[in-house]
Structures are given as structure tokens and as C-alpha cells.
Amino acid sequence: MRSLAVRRMSGGAFGIAVALAVLIGGSAFALARSGQGLSAATAVCKGSEVRLLNPGRCRTGPSVGTEADARLRPSHRSRRHRLPKSPEAPQETTASTELTAASAPTEPKSSSETTPPGLAIGKGHPAKFSGVDPPDPAPEEPAPEEPTTTPPPPEEPTTPPPPAPEEPTIPPPEEEEPTTPPPVEPSSCDQTVDSTSEAASALAAAAAGSVVCLADGTYGSLSLSSSKPAPGVTLAAANPGAATIGSVSVSGSGYTIARFVIDGGVSISRNVDRTVVDHNRILGGNHYGVFVCTAEPPDQCNDTAITGNVFAGAMDEDQIRANVFHDGDGDGIGLLVEGNEFRGNQERGGHNDVFQSVWVGDHLVFRKNYLHDFGGQGFFVKDQGTAIDGFIANNNLIVDQDLPCEPASLCSGYQLSPWQVFGPIANGEMKHNTVGWGSGGGTAVLTGTYINIEFSDNVFNRLTVTNSGGSVPSMSGLNNTYCDSSGWGVPPGSSVDCSPDFLNPAAGDYRLASGRGINWVPSAQHYGP
Ligand SMILES: [Ca+2]
Ligand SMILES: [Ca+2]
């Protein structure tokens, strides 16, 4: 799979276009919220982000029991395993149920062995969108949020930790991993404007390669609809993190959105090419963080990149929803999700996942992401009718999956799966991932048809390989470390270790001297603006 070596999509300058802000089914949503008298609490929490990391302070948040919930979700939500059935939304079932239904004679494990407490397998995705785009049905677009009056201050780039004394030498990575690319610099602004209407005009007139910047401030929503030829155009905050924008609707090709605080999510429409969402802070409390894309086959979104962002807080559904991604330019990447930090996701009854792939796509590259201090599910791939051709999930760190459901009664436990990959997938690899350690942490699940997939050099806490996706996956691979496994024909070179000697987990350094697992530390990355 090295032939799939990923080259980052152009993060540089781009041309521009304008768009008419067409905000979608938000009014009802906002109305519902205000009707619950929650607006103030929401704004406070969103502005400070405290709610996202300290749910106890904001338990009256908007996600539970609102009119919007009734529209967006099943009406009966006493438990997360009873989403209503529909042709597109298979009912969530427990692992034991699915294993019984599709029991494989070769799988002698009892349900208790294959169904760790709290494990949720086979969760259905919410009802699909209507296929009309635009206008968008309710689930497609986030409701416009009242802009926060006080955007969070830009985060200072973290400084690398001092070298640990007598730190073991980390072997060089087996493959050359790209570093997090530098964000657009303010000095690169070709022009700076101070309203979304001016931005729209500037983008419409901009030549490919241009960078239009927004001055410091809080703005409403943006719609980018005029396609731009390569290398596209960039809309950036003039000063990193000092401009807050609402929802961003992308229906034209060739846009990079960089270094903003985004409080309304990013939605990429069908048949859009070359969208880059780079080094933004994407706030919770909206429908999705980034939605790629509002379509189903045969429509698709080509060559999308989501890089270097921080996703902070739970959405009504997923922090990233990926549907029909496609490698249109033949560089081996259809959707690149790389170098992002994800925190604060929680299961709120909407099947809230950090990353969920629905429908088929091709050439998914999920790499070097940092998932921590979250709940719900982590990396979740399911429901594609045909194989995702080109599947790379490498060098990701998933730890401290310990946020409870909200409300806690939604979950029998909060240790939902950090890594759940349903086949069919083909021609790819899962390598050098470190998953399920720290506080909390559910069981990773691999299931379904895997074709030419390598699973090597990973460090998983708990891993289940089941037939709940229709078959037990067959993988090649070497040299994994794990604590507990079920149904897995453990590859050669694997070792059992329930307390791997991570270099400095208290400081987020989950590298191992053996070179297995990740080869980077979060503190050396630049997330967000
Ligand atoms: Ca591509
Ligand atoms: Ca979901």
C-alpha cells in the first residue's frame, strides 16, 4: 500500500467564489432550543467549551429532549440500542444478537466472551438524507447557531515537552509519515475583508491561488458555491483563531477553509471537488463537525482533506461524517483525515461518533489522528454496500475514551468501541495504531470481508474479531501487541501485554521503545488555528 503514499492536497492558495447563504432546517432547531430555554446555557458553554469537557456543568444542554431531537432522532431513546429500523438504518443490536443471527460454526466463543460489557456492535447509522441537495433535509445541515459573542482565544501552539531523561530511542517509523503541514500564514492574505458579504464578493472575483482573509470578529454563516479551478482559493482567518464563523456550506469546488473557529459545522455538497478544511477549531453543539458529503452513490465528493483541526465537543451526530468520498485525481486519496485532534464527543442518543463512514467511498486515509477524552464511538466504518477500495488507517492514537453518555442512562456502560471497522474493505492497511488505553476504553471490533488488508505493528488494548459483519475478516500482518483478544487468529510476532511500557502516558506520550504503535507525540503537533 505504499503506492498509496499520501500527498496532502494543496493547502496553499486558492481562488474564490461567492455563495448565497442558504441555511437549512435550522430555524426549527434553533426554535426548539430556545423553546427549552437553553440558549443562554448553550452559549455559555459553547463559548468556553467547558461544557464539552465537563458535562456535569451543562447537563441541560440542547441535545436531550428537545423538539429538534424529536425531529432528528427516534422518539424513544431510553437506550442507545433501539434506534428505529429503516431500510437505511439497521437497528442497533448487541454483539451477541448479531453473532447469534450469523453464528459461525468456527466461532465457539460464548456471547459473553465475544461481547464485552458495554460493547456496541452493528450500530445503524441514522436515516439517510433525502438525496435532494439543496434544499437539504433536516439531517444534512447544521442549524445556524447564535454566534458566540466571545470567541475562544486562539490556542497557543503547544511546545514540545522536554526530552525525558534516558528516553529510549524510538526506532524510525517503518514508513515515512508526513508531518502536520503548516497552516496558512496571515502574511499570505491577498486581501482582508471584514464581512461575509465582502468575503463572498472577493472570493467570486479571486483568481485561482488567491487567499482572502477575514478580519478578527464573529461572523455568520458562509456559502461557497462557485467552483474554482486548481489550485483553488483559500478563505482564512487573518489572525489564527481570531475570526469565528458559523456554518460553512460548500457547494463549489476548490475551496480551502483555514484557521477559523467554526461554530456551525462544515457541509460539503455532492459532486464537489478539492475541499480542504485545515487547522480550524470546530466547536461542538452543531449537527456535524464536517459532513463529506451530502450525497449517496453515484454522486460523490472528490479529493477532500480534513487536516490539522481540533474538534472540540459533541455534535448532534458525528464530529466527521463521511459518505461518498472518491479519489478523483488519482493520487491515492479520496478522503484524507490527518493530524486532527478530536475530544469531547459523547453519546447523546444520536449515535454520536468521532468519525463515521456511511455508504461506500474509495481511498480513505485516516492517519495520525488523536482521539482522547471522549465518549461514544471513535473510528467507525460501516454500511458500505461494496468494498471501500483503498483503506489506510495508520498511526492513530485513541486513549481516554471515558466520557459517559449524556444522559448516562443512554448507555449501559460508556466503554463503546474506539475502533470498529466493518468490511467490505479492500487493498489497504491498519498499522502503527495505539488504541484503547488510558482511562476507560471499549473493545475494538474488526468484522466482515477484508480483501488484501494488512494489520501490523498495532498496540490495541482489547480487540474482537467477529463475524457480526457477515464474516470473520482475514488479514495478513505481523508484530502486534494486545492485552485481550477474541476470535482473532493472532498474527506472527504478536505479544500479549496489558501494561505496555509507554514512554510517558501522563504527558500523552504513548510511544513504545519497540516501535510498535504510534511514532509521534501529541504535544509536538499543531492542532487548530
Ligand atoms: Ca485524490
Ligand atoms: Ca453516527
Side-chain angles (χ1 to χ4, degrees), residues 151-156 239-242 281 529:
E155 290 182 350
E156 295 294 331
N239 295 297
R281 185 183 310 119

Side-chain angles (χ1 to χ4, degrees), residues 126 317-318 321 350-353 356 380:
E317 291 199 27
D318 311 316
R321 166 66 66 87
H351 201 308
N352 306 82
D353 311 305
Q356 180 179 10
F380 178 38

Side-chain angles (χ1 to χ4, degrees), residues 37-284:
L38 297 171
S39 295
T42 299
V44 169
C45 292
K46 288 162 65 62
S48 65
E49 299 182 24
V50 169
R51 176 173 62 89
L52 310 174
L53 298 178
N54 189 355
R57 293 184 56 182
C58 295
R59 294 299 283 264
T60 56
S63 294
V64 178
T66 64
E67 183 177 317
D69 288 328
R71 175 170 57 83
L72 298 172
R73 300 175 188 155
S75 57
H76 301 290
R77 300 181 295 110
S78 61
R79 289 175 54 83
R80 68 196 308 269
H81 295 302
R82 23 83 235 117
L83 292 173
K85 287 184 177 178
S86 75
E88 304 80 23
Q91 177 129 6
E92 295 181 21
T93 57
T94 64
S96 57
T97 299
E98 293 200 0
L99 287 169
T100 299
S103 60
T106 56
E107 194 63 54
K109 304 286 186 182
S110 70
S111 62
S112 62
E113 289 173 314
T114 56
T115 310
L119 171 62
I121 298 178
K123 301 199 297 184
H125 59 80
K128 67 183 179 182
F129 32 85
S130 71
V132 178
D133 171 29
D136 301 307
E140 284 198 8
E141 300 282 353
E145 294 286 328
E146 295 180 20
T148 54
T149 55
T150 307
E155 290 182 350
E156 295 294 331
T158 54
T159 55
E166 300 180 8
E167 182 174 293
T169 300
I170 300 300
E174 181 174 292
E175 303 173 44
E176 182 177 349
E177 297 288 353
T179 56
T180 303
V184 173
E185 293 300 326
S187 59
S188 65
C189 298
D190 293 312
Q191 57 180 312
T192 299
V193 299
D194 59 6
S195 73
T196 53
S197 59
E198 285 183 272
S201 298
L203 290 164
S210 297
V211 178
V212 173
C213 294
L214 268 173
D216 298 359
T218 299
Y219 302 90
S221 298
L222 287 167
S223 183
L224 307 172
S225 60
S226 295
S227 291
K228 293 291 181 177
V233 294
T234 294
L235 178 64
N239 295 297
T244 297
I245 54 178
S247 63
V248 181
S249 298
V250 184
S251 57
S253 297
Y255 286 92
T256 292
I257 301 108
R259 310 198 79 167
F260 288 103
V261 175
I262 298 177
D263 187 13
V266 177
S267 180
I268 304 169
S269 297
R270 66 185 61 213
N271 302 325
V272 166
D273 302 342
R274 296 173 284 113
T275 304
V276 179
V277 181
D278 183 55
H279 283 92
N280 302 282
R281 185 183 310 119
I282 298 173
L283 303 181

Side-chain angles (χ1 to χ4, degrees), residues 437 459-461 481-484 495-501 512:
W437 305 96
V459 183
F460 275 62
N461 191 342
T481 295
Y482 64 98
C483 173
D484 180 68
S495 58
V496 178
D497 188 348
C498 293
S499 299
D501 193 13
L512 287 173

